[in-house]
Amino acid sequence: MSQLAQNDIDRVIEMAWEDRTPFEAIEHQFQLPEKEVIDLMRKTLKASSFRLWRKRVNSGVSQKHLKKRSGAIDRFKCTSQRQITHNKISKRLPFFVR
């Protein structure tokens, strides 16, 4: 975990907060298993924020574990993102073309 750059740590935290991004996607991109993601969140977030995050991850709302996910969910990314390749998000098309 200590070898991650600050922007990678920020991205891991962002992905961990997203309900539809499973721990497996974080592990695939950053080689951080769930236990290390939890440790990173514990060390980085305020105690109250960490408790809120853990409560949400362990509730029925979050789908952080592939086993809990509905079969209808077959992607790790938001529909507004065109392509994600190992934490490289491609440029998005402008909302309007002049």
Side-chain angles (χ1 to χ4, degrees):
M1 180 169 52
S2 61
Q3 67 271 18
L4 289 176
Q6 185 59 46
N7 60 342
D8 290 338
I9 291 172
D10 293 343
R11 181 65 182 137
V12 169
I13 292 169
E14 182 182 1
M15 291 174 74
W17 269 109
E18 295 168 351
D19 285 334
R20 294 183 72 169
T21 304
F23 286 114
E24 291 82 1
I26 297 170
E27 185 171 7
H28 175 72
Q29 289 185 10
F30 297 99
Q31 290 72 48
L32 284 178
E34 179 180 349
K35 183 177 181 343
E36 290 184 30
V37 172
I38 294 168
D39 290 342
L40 174 70
M41 297 293 277
R42 181 178 282 120
K43 291 175 185 176
T44 308
L45 300 177
K46 294 186 302 184
S48 60
S49 297
F50 175 75
R51 283 192 300 271
L52 286 172
W53 176 75
R54 286 298 290 160
K55 184 177 180 180
R56 185 163 181 88
V57 166
N58 291 325
S59 74
V61 174
S62 178
Q63 299 175 7
K64 297 301 289 180
H65 300 90
L66 285 178
K67 293 177 184 177
K68 293 182 182 179
R69 291 172 73 111
S70 162
I73 300 172
D74 60 353
R75 58 186 167 77
F76 293 153
K77 60 185 179 184
C78 173
T79 56
S80 65
Q81 295 173 346
R82 291 178 54 211
Q83 179 91 21
I84 296 180
T85 308
H86 297 328
N87 203 34
K88 302 281 192 277
I89 301 174
S90 67
K91 294 182 181 177
R92 296 181 183 161
L93 293 175
F95 290 108
F96 57 92
V97 179
R98 292 184 180 194

